[in-house]
Amino acid sequence: MLTLATRQQYASTIDGQMELEFTKEGDYWCNILKRIVAVIKFLAERGLAFRGNDELINSSQNGNYLGVLQLLSQFDPLLSNHIDKYGNQGKGRASYLSSTICEEFIQLMGDKLLKIIAKEIKEQKYFSVSVDSTPDLSHVDQLTVIIRYVEKSSHQAKERFLKFLPLEKHTGETLTNTLLCFLNEIGVDISNCRGQSYDNAANMSGRYNGMQAKIREINPLAHFIPCAAHFLNLIGTSAVECCVDTVNFFGFVQKLSNFFSASTSRWAVIKLCLGSKNLLLKSLSQSSWSAKADAIKALSDGYNN
């Protein structure tokens, strides 16, 4: 036993060597993952695309994720050796360079961030909610959930975007059930809601079957306040539409923009004339009334040119 103890202390044993090798291998992959997580956070915070047309190392079309890793590898010997050893290995061998690891880490980061925001909301207790939906390019309707609350320490109003929720129907009952299920999942009690703010659509602001009415049946203290921005936009649009001269004027502004933007040669001429004032003709916005001011600025300030 004395001989065995002496050997373990000075010469180590077979299982000790295996443990040392295991620890060394674990440290290697942890250091690789730290670099990968840093790149994913960098791209996600700035809303940049991850993927390109392929997932091949040293390809000019492999996207921002692999491109940034390749850039870092020029100054990081560990990452450089890893890419040389595991790059372009294909499926069946772990490299943590594929899009699969990106999606997993993004999901983990999103879940972690959602838990932190939910914890903040529960600590402040009282909150207000605002939701709206719009279809994306893949024709999936997404419900945007935003929570507002006041921090106890700083007494500042905070507005947090929580999540996009898939939506199939647009009835007030469906919208209400979708929101309540989500709040229940993150542990936020709807009874602490003190305000609602939506647009003027009937399924949102309807007095009897709208979303605000359904939520007030559950929590009468969740007072509904229509979105002021939507109201102001509707008032501006309606006020202008009753004046024929104004409608004709904005129609002329839109035709003027179409005339110059339809031709590269005409656009070069107008750009040359207005370039000294940093002005450009813009198309009218159909959704935001205030954007019309930007559209007529070039015509107003650069009329003589």
Side-chain angles (χ1 to χ4, degrees), residues 230-240:
H230 280 86
F231 257 132
L232 185 61
N233 191 62
L234 290 174
I235 291 171
T237 303
S238 299
V240 168

Side-chain angles (χ1 to χ4, degrees), residues 30 52 66 186 194 197 241 282:
C30 283
L66 292 179
I186 63 176
R194 292 297 181 268
S197 181
E241 287 179 350
K282 295 181 177 64

Side-chain angles (χ1 to χ4, degrees), residues 47-60:
L48 300 175
F50 280 71
R51 300 189 192 181
N53 294 331
D54 57 50
E55 295 184 35
L56 301 176
I57 300 296
N58 297 323
S59 170
S60 60

